[in-house]
Amino acid sequence: MNKNAHKWSGVIAALLAAFLFGASTPFSKAFLPQMSPQLMAGLLYLSSGVGLGVYWILRGRSNRTDKEARLTGKDVPWLAGAFLSGGVIGPVLLLIGLRETPASSASLLLNLEGVFTALLAWFVFKENFDSRIAAGMALIAGGGVVLAWNGQRIEGFPWGSLAIIGACLAWAIDNNLTRKASASDPVQIAMLKGLVAGTVNTTLGLLLGSKLPGLSTLLATSLIGLFGYGISLTLFIRGLRHIGAARTGAYFSTAPFIGAIISLLLFRDPITATLLLAGCLMAAGVWLHLTEHHEHWHVHEPLEHEHLHYHDEHHHHAHGPHDPPGEPHSHWHQHEPLGHSHPHQPDIHHRHGH
């Protein structure tokens, strides 16, 4: 494959994930009066898990050779932590925070998820970055703050705001832990996450007194969940695989702006100076990321793993009689030590020190 193919594959996946999730927001808002936020979140997650589960089963019965690597025992600790932090702790903390914090303040604080994702990726998980990437992340996050800001001061501190900040941190941990398992099947990961998070949040919503909506609302919510959460999360995980957590999180942070644009087109929301300023800031940040050029001499340590791959410069391995034919394909393979220089992103083969 072309040396930049992985980068653009990850960029497109992250932006499509942001588009689908951003589009789900105005549509979800239309049904929110009919159920509690907790129950709606649960149904959106649960429908995404069920929908992806049907696709995963049908795909497994096909004769396709380009099948993704399934999850292994090594992925379980990372995903268990991700599901706990992002699927259980995050939504509960958000619910607690929303009870004590005005919506305007909550919208501002929720922009911290992208910031926390990048900070954890850079300083805890040692994902590489430079001043250009940091500036791009700051511009995108700044656009989100501008979009959410309505001139009111942040109230409800400390407990409500602290809970929402904790939810953002939980989701940032989720993003970085999921990245550790991103070589495996994104559909399987997103399916399991949807089922776990959906079951937990739906159960909590019902226990808190919420009632299930009518059949038409339930079907509409399921469709929103499949595309806005299930397919979006699958694409997000593909982004994690190819461009890392910080860059994927940065592109995904454009979702509120996408939601605002869709609200403008479908619901005739007014065009405001705030919307235009937010769009300019986010566009500048995305441009800084898209035009990044990261190239230096680096050494690949010996590595054994399984993932969907082509036979490119990083995959010069022999095949056994039972390995699948055609490309791309997935099988267990070994990487010998390799030193070279080329443009690259922090994908699953380039998580080296700098």
Side-chain angles (χ1 to χ4, degrees):
M1 293 183 69
N2 183 278
K3 292 179 179 179
N4 288 320
H6 287 307
K7 171 187 174 179
W8 289 109
S9 176
V11 169
I12 292 170
L15 288 174
L16 283 175
F19 175 82
L20 290 174
F21 183 74
S24 73
T25 301
F27 290 107
S28 298
K29 186 178 180 180
F31 297 101
L32 193 54
Q34 302 179 42
M35 67 191 93
S36 70
Q38 185 79 36
L39 180 59
M40 171 163 270
L43 293 176
L44 289 169
Y45 273 117
L46 194 57
S47 59
S48 74
V50 172
L52 290 177
V54 172
Y55 170 75
W56 184 72
I57 292 173
L58 293 175
R59 188 191 63 181
R61 294 178 177 177
S62 70
N63 295 321
R64 293 171 53 180
T65 59
D66 60 338
K67 294 180 180 179
E68 292 274 2
R70 294 201 175 191
L71 295 170
T72 66
K74 294 193 303 181
D75 299 318
V76 171
W78 301 116
L79 292 180
F83 294 171
L84 176 63
S85 60
V88 179
I89 296 175
V92 171
L93 286 175
L94 178 63
L95 178 65
I96 294 171
L98 289 175
R99 287 175 175 172
E100 306 291 336
T101 309
S104 58
S105 303
S107 297
L108 283 174
L109 292 170
L110 286 171
N111 286 286
L112 290 173
E113 179 187 349
V115 176
F116 285 159
T117 296
L119 292 176
L120 286 175
W122 294 338
F123 298 108
V124 176
F125 293 91
K126 306 303 180 183
E127 189 173 294
N128 76 282
F129 73 102
D130 54 27
S131 58
R132 186 184 190 89
I133 292 299
M137 180 72 241
L139 286 170
I140 294 171
V145 170
V146 168
L147 193 64
W149 178 251
N150 63 2
Q152 299 181 12
R153 65 186 181 88
I154 294 180
E155 300 173 351
F157 188 83
W159 302 117
S161 297
L162 284 176
I164 294 175
I165 292 171
C168 292
L169 180 60
W171 289 322
I173 293 172
D174 172 7
N175 294 338
N176 279 278
L177 293 180
T178 301
R179 174 203 157 195
K180 302 289 286 187
S182 60
S184 298
D185 186 357
V187 173
Q188 188 181 16
I189 296 173
M191 172 193 71
L192 293 174
K193 188 174 184 180
L195 292 174
V196 171
T199 300
V200 170
N201 287 295
T202 300
T203 301
L204 285 175
L206 294 175
L207 290 176
L208 291 170
S210 299
K211 302 297 182 182
L212 288 173
L215 180 60
S216 60
T217 300
L218 194 61
L219 291 175
T221 303
S222 299
L223 192 62
I224 295 169
L226 175 60
F227 284 90
Y229 284 68
I231 297 176
S232 175
L233 179 56
T234 302
L235 291 166
F236 185 89
I237 296 169
R238 289 189 182 277
L240 293 175
R241 174 189 295 179
H242 294 304
I243 59 175
R247 291 161 179 81
T248 302
Y251 290 123
F252 193 76
S253 295
T254 62
F257 180 74
I258 294 170
I261 292 296
I262 291 176
S263 293
L264 174 69
L265 296 175
L266 295 183
F267 304 110
R268 298 296 189 266
D269 287 353
I271 299 176
T272 64
T274 297
L275 181 64
L276 294 175
L277 177 58
C280 290
L281 289 172
M282 288 185 169
V286 169
W287 178 80
L288 286 175
H289 279 231
L290 289 176
T291 54
E292 174 196 13
H293 184 85
H294 182 76
E295 181 174 1
H296 62 92
W297 181 266
H298 56 278
V299 176
H300 296 268
E301 301 295 335
L303 174 66
E304 291 186 25
H305 60 179
E306 181 177 358
H307 65 94
L308 193 66
H309 62 276
Y310 290 90
H311 280 193
D312 55 19
E313 61 183 324
H314 296 100
H315 295 90
H316 293 303
H317 50 258
H319 279 148
H322 301 294
D323 288 333
E327 294 184 35
H329 56 222
S330 177
H331 62 90
W332 191 262
H333 57 277
Q334 182 177 8
H335 292 269
E336 299 296 335
L338 174 66
H340 58 180
S341 176
H342 65 93
H344 60 277
Q345 299 286 316
D347 58 28
I348 57 175
H349 296 108
H350 296 93
R351 294 176 180 171
H352 47 259
H354 286 77

